[in-house]
Amino acid sequence: SNSPASIVTTDDHEVFERIQDGLSSGTAEWVDLTRGLGRDVAGADGIRGVGTSELAMRNQHEAWRRYMEGSA
């Protein structure tokens, strides 16, 4: 399902391409993942973002960091 023809990830590929274009423009050095930072709350099903949040992306990068450090 991970191809440009997929009905599952088509939007994701468009977003990734736009992010790449933006980062290569030279106007932004980093991708900002702070939206919702500090508003994350613990619920019965774990931590979740309130409203719009980059919590999922922050969690993904944190998991990748732990994996690369061997502490996962």
Side-chain angles (χ1 to χ4, degrees), residues 46-57:
I47 295 178
R48 63 180 183 276
V50 176
T52 58
S53 176
E54 300 293 347
L55 178 63
M57 294 304 293

Side-chain angles (χ1 to χ4, degrees), residues 2-71:
N2 192 15
S3 78
S6 168
I7 62 170
V8 176
T9 61
T10 305
D11 291 342
D12 291 340
H13 288 274
E14 179 67 21
V15 169
F16 298 151
E17 185 175 344
R18 289 182 185 203
I19 289 171
Q20 184 64 40
D21 289 345
L23 290 174
S24 34
S25 72
T27 58
E29 187 175 347
W30 300 97
V31 175
D32 181 10
L33 300 178
T34 61
R35 182 177 56 162
L37 187 63
R39 294 183 302 163
D40 306 326
V41 296
D45 56 350
I47 295 178
R48 63 180 183 276
V50 176
T52 58
S53 176
E54 300 293 347
L55 178 63
M57 294 304 293
R58 290 192 299 270
N59 286 347
Q60 179 180 353
H61 285 278
E62 175 62 18
W64 181 249
R65 183 189 64 79
R66 286 193 316 268
Y67 174 76
M68 294 302 289
E69 290 176 345
S71 59

